Amino acid sequence: MSRVEAEALIARAFAFLPYVETSVKKLDTLRGRTVINMFFEASTRTQSSFEIAGKRMSADVMNMAVRSSSLSKGETLIDTAVTLNAMAPDVLIIRHAASGAAALLARKVGCAVVNAGDGSHEHPTQALLDAAAIVEALGSVEGITIAICGDVLHSRVARSNVQLLTMLGARVRLIGPPTLVPAMAARWGCEVFHDMRAGLKGVDVVMMLRLQSERMQGSFIPSPREFFWFYGLDEDKLRFAKPNALVMHPGPMNRGVEIDSEIADNQDISLIERQVRLGVAVRMAVLEALTTQGEPP
Amino acid sequence: MTGLKRTLIENARVIDPDSGFDGHAGVLFDQSGILDLGPHVTASAAPSAHDVIDADGLALMPGLIDLRVSIGEPGAEHRETLKSAGRAAAAGGVTTMVVQPGTNPVIDDASLVDFIRRRAVERTKVHVLIAAALTHGLRGKELSEIGLLNEAGAAYFSNGDASIADSRVLRRALSYATAFNAWIAHRPEDPWLADGAVMTDGELAMRMGLAGQPAIGERIMLERDLALVELTGGRLIVDMISTADGLEPLRRARAKGLNVAVTASVHHLALNQLEVVGYRTFAKLTPPLRTEEDRMALVEALKEGVIDIIVSGHDPRPAEDKRLPFAEAAPGASALETLLPGALNLYHSGLCDLMTVLRALTINPARLLGLPQGRLARGAPADIILVDLDKPFRFDSAMMQSKCKNSPFDGKLLQGQVKRTIVGGETAHVTP
């Protein structure tokens, strides 16, 4: 994706936003189109977000239940996808625990494939909605300083955000313990900090990540309480950022581990709810871009 | 503080390994620290002193800093308490000691660091620092809360006598600790090659019918540990190197400028494996005493600066743990009181110059841990010892201050005796 394409999608998302916030009008953009959600990992917001996005545009959305599918009978990922592909869907949306699963699938099917998160690799629509949230709150991503904090090593959200935000002209910092934010990450064009207070100085937006325990082999941090003491976002540390700094989180949150409850619930600084709302709009824009010539609603 | 007590020591051979000063001089100090020192410091020139001590030519040097002292508090107080260790330390001229985490419970929680710190202040005048456990329960599997332990005041982190077999754990530990600039001490010993071994491998072990661990076990682990240091940028204290074989990877690591500090125990510098002949369990140590070639190589390494620090490896064991068949006896030696005379052996036998030996006992450990003591300078803590450098005596372990008398130096002729130990400007020990 290029900068122009990303900015276009974000702009489209804002155009769709009214349709998210009021459920009165429905769009015909995807009428007659079939969208299949293949979610191999648990998901509240992303799956529902895609489903609602599709339905708001009148698509036929099918949620494939992995547990009751033939996959539990030993059918491979590819075979399942090819089988579904033979029924000519328009879009396959896949989330999988293995990095690279989306790319693998895209090679084997003829329809459009959307990566809803593959292992620790990428989560493109999350990055788009995060960027959109920043644009909505601050007007632009260009020139702002964002700190992405926590389990960067295992986070697809971090990888996609680093890519997109630097592309859109932001200065990105990565903050976390050396075991979760390797010094090598500086090669992505970010500044790496292991001292959170030092890293938050002058930051406009703080993005917190969850500890991805399900992706960890062995222990990367000694304990959640030590993690929160040094790397959790609380009032004390937030004070080091710019006075009106905003707080984001892709969700789900582990309150008291990476983020203090009070901050997460503080409507004045937290963009978390906006992220979710914009998520539907962004996914509408993505589905539209993949299936139509893009007529305005 | 009610009225600081000024003490003057004159007529001493003042030796400061930090500055290299070695000459006739005096020192003026109080509880706040060293006020003045030099040839001009004499009783006549300092009338304000409350106490005047004529050193009568004795050597005056910084109190020793011992980085590796195991005690039994909490959990095994019959072996050694903070109080008895403090007495032994003062008798040995050790004014700062770092206690090890292998107590019961293991020091793997910030509250325990705090507990020991407070207790130590109540029980002994000697400065007590704490090495916290690197892994939970010293089991070598899960990282302990290095950040919180560091904030509680841990001096460094150690996995005790057990080396960590899982490379991933040590890698993560080294990497994680860089966020806190913390040092990690690790025993360079291949756990499987050492398993069941009670002395060093070789002809003597074979003849005695005892299981030995080969010297290469040290090199194997060192290569791995140093490679992990290079990968992570971590800081490693090599915990008691004992073989010539282990020195080669260390030299390479030095050349690469890796963050590595190397310690050796006084036993491995002064003694060799022949001490175990006759199944003398007091000479059963971990790591085991090695060959004379190994010992000579270690001495060379000390002179070269490849070995920075000499430790006592103090590990008190009561008689019931030692009066057993060799294989069943517990390893370890009570060593706070033999650290100085044992190390001076290198000087007296002409193997090493005095300054190098003393540097490894004072300023080098001080610099590693960022301590203000370990040197004689205006403003430095008044941790001072008076030593009769040349006095020969037969070491009698029955006279030891430590609760346990297990020393391989028992009955040996040593030279160098601590006459007076001053900690924080106050006398903690006087040898009659």
Side-chain angles (χ1 to χ4, degrees), chain B residues 122-387:
Chain B
E122 290 166 22
R123 301 297 163 95
T124 174
K125 289 203 185 100
V126 168
H127 304 299
V128 176
L129 300 173
I130 298 145
L134 183 65
T135 59
H136 274 297
L138 291 175
R139 283 185 289 271
K141 297 231 180 323
E142 284 145 14
L143 293 187
S144 58
E145 291 168 319
I146 293 173
L148 293 173
L149 287 162
N150 191 58
E151 294 228 321
Y156 64 85
F157 295 85
S158 166
N159 208 57
D161 292 339
S163 55
I164 296 175
D166 189 338
S167 307
R168 201 169 41 186
V169 172
L170 186 59
R171 177 198 181 170
R172 300 239 176 101
L174 283 164
S175 173
Y176 187 79
T178 60
F180 309 99
N181 292 324
W183 285 85
I184 292 175
H186 188 246
R187 173 65 62 82
E189 181 181 80
D190 184 304
W192 290 285
L193 289 175
D195 189 34
V198 301
M199 62 180 286
T200 195
D201 204 12
E203 218 216 309
L204 183 61
M206 203 163 51
R207 212 132 10 102
M208 291 176 76
L210 293 171
Q213 50 153 294
I216 57 154
E218 193 169 89
R219 173 161 55 96
I220 288 172
M221 213 46 149
L222 257 179
E223 293 276 14
R224 182 201 75 165
D225 293 353
L226 294 171
L228 287 174
V229 169
E230 195 171 1
L231 179 69
T232 59
R235 295 157 188 243
L236 179 74
I237 300 173
V238 176
D239 181 25
M240 297 200 291
I241 188 155
S242 64
T243 67
D245 225 6
L247 295 170
E248 199 263 314
L250 280 178
R251 289 193 178 97
R252 267 187 283 125
R254 283 259 191 266
K256 282 188 190 165
L258 299 181
N259 289 321
V260 175
V262 183
T263 73
S265 103
V266 62
H267 300 106
H268 295 92
L269 287 164
L271 305 168
N272 65 43
Q273 62 166 340
L274 294 175
E275 296 297 326
V276 311
V277 168
Y279 301 91
R280 286 182 71 226
T281 57
F282 280 9
K284 180 176 181 181
L285 305 176
T286 172
L289 290 170
R290 305 284 189 178
T291 66
E292 183 66 2
E293 286 78 35
D294 288 314
R295 181 175 91 87
M296 287 296 120
L298 290 186
V299 175
E300 278 313 302
L302 178 69
K303 283 155 70 175
E304 234 179 280
V306 172
I307 293 175
D308 312 280
I309 291 163
I310 302 173
V311 299
S312 71
H314 184 77
D315 194 3
R317 296 283 168 182
E320 64 262 23
D321 289 352
K322 285 286 190 182
R323 257 192 234 127
L324 291 164
F326 197 90
E328 291 162 42
S334 179
L336 277 166
E337 294 158 87
T338 54
L339 176 60
L340 184 60
L344 285 174
N345 174 307
L346 301 182
Y347 159 63
H348 287 299
S349 57
L351 288 172
C352 187
D353 64 285
L354 183 63
M355 276 301 186
T356 302
V357 173
L358 294 180
R359 228 177 299 143
L361 293 165
T362 54
I363 189 64
N364 289 354
R367 276 214 201 97
L368 179 71
L369 297 183
L371 304 172
Q373 55 261 52
R375 71 205 80 193
L376 298 174
R378 273 186 212 94
D383 296 345
I384 292 165
I385 55 176
L386 284 174
V387 181

